Amino acid sequence: MQKNVLKRQTGLARRHRRVRGKVSGTAQRPRLCVTRSNRNISAQIIDDVTHTTICGASTLGAEFKKSGISASTVEGAEKLGEIIGNLAKEKGVTQVVFDRGGHLYHGRVKAVAEGAREAGLVF
C-alpha cells in the first residue's frame, strides 16, 4: 500500500476507536452505525450489550437498488437512512445513538442521519 493510503486508514481507525469509546448501544437505545466507502454506504442498528445486530441496510441491498438512485451520492445516502429508519420502526426501535464511524458528520454520513430522522428515528 502507498504511504498516504495507510496514513488515512490509521487515522480513520483512531477516530473510530475514539468515537466508540464514547458511544455504546443498549436494548432501549441501540447504536446506529454508519460505514462508508467511496462507492457504497451501509448502516446497522446494533445492541452492544447483547452483541446483536437488530437490522441493517446497504446500498448493495435489493430494497435500495429498486429506488434507482446512485449509491455514491448524498441522495442515495438519504434514501438509505429512510430504509434503515423504516426497518428499525418495524423492529420496534424508536430511539438510537448515532455512530459516525470515525467519519466527519458531513455529506453522506449526515444524509443517512437526516433520512433516518425523517423516517421517525429519534437521536
Side-chain angles (χ1 to χ4, degrees):
M1 273 198 227
Q2 290 181 345
K3 185 177 178 182
N4 290 338
V5 173
L6 192 60
K7 191 175 178 182
R8 270 196 312 268
Q9 287 176 343
T10 57
L12 179 65
R14 185 177 60 245
R15 286 188 302 275
H16 187 58
R17 275 195 310 272
R18 185 170 57 233
V19 169
R20 285 290 292 121
K22 299 172 186 174
V23 175
S24 180
T26 62
Q28 295 81 23
R29 200 166 173 186
R31 175 170 56 100
L32 172 58
C33 179
V34 176
T35 306
R36 182 184 66 81
S37 70
N38 286 339
R39 289 190 181 183
N40 293 296
I41 191 161
S42 65
Q44 294 179 323
I45 296 189
I46 303 169
D47 180 0
D48 289 317
V49 176
T50 59
H51 305 289
T52 56
T53 300
I54 298 167
C55 61
S58 172
T59 54
L60 297 170
E63 190 174 348
F64 180 82
K65 297 240 180 194
K66 286 186 224 172
S67 68
I69 302 172
S70 175
S72 60
T73 61
V74 172
E75 292 82 19
E78 192 166 355
K79 177 66 177 171
L80 180 70
E82 291 173 14
I83 291 170
I84 194 73
N86 292 331
L87 285 173
K89 284 172 51 178
E90 289 174 11
K91 300 283 186 171
V93 175
T94 56
Q95 288 190 331
V96 295
V97 177
F98 190 72
D99 176 11
R100 58 188 174 84
H103 297 286
L104 288 175
Y105 185 76
H106 178 75
R108 289 185 289 154
V109 175
K110 184 178 178 181
V112 171
E114 290 172 351
R117 282 191 185 109
E118 286 176 14
L121 286 181
V122 177
F123 58 96

